[in-house]
Amino acid sequence: MGRGLILGIETSCDETAAAVVERGQRTLASVVASQIAIHARYGGVVPELASREHLRAIVPVVRAALDQAQIALGDLDAIAVTSGPGLAGALLVGITYAKALAFANSLPLIAVNHLEGHIHAVLLHERENASEAKAQDDSFASVTGTETPTHQNGEDADCSKASLALVVSGGHTHLYLARPTDGAWRYSLVGRTVDDAAGEAYDKVAKLLGLGYPGGPWIDTLAQFGDPQAVPFAFAQVKTKAHLVGKAPRTKAAQTAPIAPLDPRFLFSFSGIKTAVLRYVELHQMRGEAEARAARLFPGRGVETATPRPPQSKEEALALCPQATLDLIASFQHAVIGDLMKKTFAAAESLDAQRILVTGGVAANRELRARFRKEARRRRLRVSFPTLSLSTDNAAMIAAAAWPRLLAKDFAAAELTANPSLALQ
Ligand code: KG4
Ligand code: ZN
């Protein structure tokens, strides 16, 4: 093996991404071409447009990653690609291109589960911190001739104890118990949503309120200016529903694993709060105001316009939404995060996890990070997040997740194809 360089390719949803990561712990390049501007016009991801855009972007994005890393294809040790879960047509673009590149350059191909990628986004961030801290310590020691100070950041970055991972994104709200065994990571599903993913609820509520797409960053910024106690949303305990056993999935989030054998205390449901927001909007005659806002932000959906950005100050927020809407947004977010916290910490305690990893697009949320950190401190548990850019879809996490597989020579078969509902285990 050379330097342990892996090119990661990710095209599972609406970002075309390529990255080069060295030995699963140092990012040499990470390039993400977002399709947000294209899908924002429709208020959600349009699968056919996603595949078309991936086809357009894949070659320049991979080239940009290699350029940024200042390496040639011949320097690589392997190519890693997301094989699922995700949109079938979108996944296929990445897989087909990765296969061709691997074949043409006689490189091994590694298939990575997108969810495992999200979990490795946290581990990659920790390893980068740890090696940065070590580099600083080494230069400190060489200058002063003293003992290396210990750094809390990098301590037990790869601890052998079980971690509880909450993957919370536009397609998933899943809890996994993750533990490293013989260098590879093993996962067991302990909880999940029975209907919508949390990010999906953010996106649907934002759309309902006439805000931009994706909804998460809009609600994240606007919630700061509202009263989180104004509207008392409540989550009922999800019961294991006998009628769901063996049934076809009802939403995209429900596609990856069966619900039946899971502890009902760790099941999520986000479709109810979306309906509750809708009812509140109707009851308080907020519909017209939301439609007027959407028309202002997106003059004619389906038409190409600049993508508007969420407001940054209270003045800008109030120019966009009345206080009552800001209060509704803050209350929605407060309730969703409260529910994510309650079940995640309960699962960590019940399964005796030593720490919690929170990852996926929704893990970029400011209130979520602050409240998880506070609760973890109270319980003397450790909680880790990826950097903001590693929270949402990227290819560095795919290349990082592939590293233990390269060491184990766990390569993809020649007939590798997209698996839109690939489960993580
Ligand atoms: O991980 P990701 O980029 O793609 C999927 O695998 O789904 O996650 C995208 C999701 C979207 O639903 C988006 O609204 C949400 O993550 N999101 C956020 C924030 N940033 C992105 N949700 C809440 N707060 C944020 N700051
Ligand atoms: Zn994702």
Side-chain angles (χ1 to χ4, degrees), residues 114 118 169-171 199-200 202-203 214-217 220 360-362 364-365 391-393:
H114 182 78
H118 273 303
S169 69
E200 206 174 342
Y202 265 88
D203 295 340
D220 187 346
V362 183
N365 188 275
S391 295
T392 47
D393 289 350

Side-chain angles (χ1 to χ4, degrees), residues 4-224:
L5 296 179
I6 300 181
L7 169 70
I9 295 178
E10 151 67 42
T11 63
S12 69
C13 191
D14 58 348
E15 331 270 3
T16 317
V20 179
V21 177
E22 187 179 348
R23 307 182 75 79
Q25 60 180 342
R26 196 161 82 91
T27 308
L28 302 188
S30 180
V31 178
V32 180
S34 172
Q35 304 177 2
I36 283 177
I38 286 144
H39 301 291
R41 284 179 250 151
Y42 304 94
V45 178
V46 183
E48 292 77 7
L49 290 184
S51 311
R52 193 191 71 189
E53 291 307 312
H54 284 309
L55 268 174
R56 263 193 210 168
I58 188 80
V59 175
V61 164
V62 168
R63 193 169 299 145
L66 295 171
D67 286 351
Q68 210 179 84
Q70 298 182 318
I71 61 157
L73 279 165
D75 298 323
L76 291 170
D77 292 289
I79 295 179
V81 65
T82 308
S83 60
L87 301 169
L91 286 163
L92 265 180
V93 176
I95 293 173
T96 312
Y97 188 60
K99 268 187 181 181
L101 268 188
F103 182 73
N105 295 279
S106 308
L107 289 167
L109 182 67
I110 301 169
V112 175
N113 183 307
H114 182 78
L115 301 173
E116 181 174 24
H118 273 303
I119 293 173
H120 276 263
V122 187
L123 304 172
L124 172 62
H125 176 46
E126 288 190 339
R127 288 186 208 116
E128 290 198 301
N129 266 347
S131 42
E132 207 172 284
K134 187 174 177 311
Q136 278 171 15
D137 293 345
D138 289 349
S139 63
F140 175 80
S142 69
V143 172
T144 60
T146 55
E147 193 96 342
T148 304
T150 47
H151 272 267
Q152 225 198 333
N153 262 348
E155 256 178 18
D156 68 354
D158 257 350
C159 63
S160 59
K161 293 164 186 158
S163 303
L164 185 75
L166 168 65
V167 183
V168 62
S169 69
H172 297 90
T173 302
H174 284 46
L175 282 170
Y176 291 96
L177 200 62
R179 66 176 89 233
T181 24
D182 306 327
W185 283 76
R186 300 266 166 260
Y187 308 91
S188 48
L189 182 75
V190 294
R192 53 163 297 168
T193 177
V194 297
D195 42 51
D196 291 357
E200 206 174 342
Y202 265 88
D203 295 340
K204 287 178 177 169
V205 164
K207 190 170 180 182
L208 170 73
L209 294 175
L211 302 169
Y213 174 84
W218 287 77
I219 291 182
D220 187 346
T221 20
L222 291 171
Q224 301 172 92

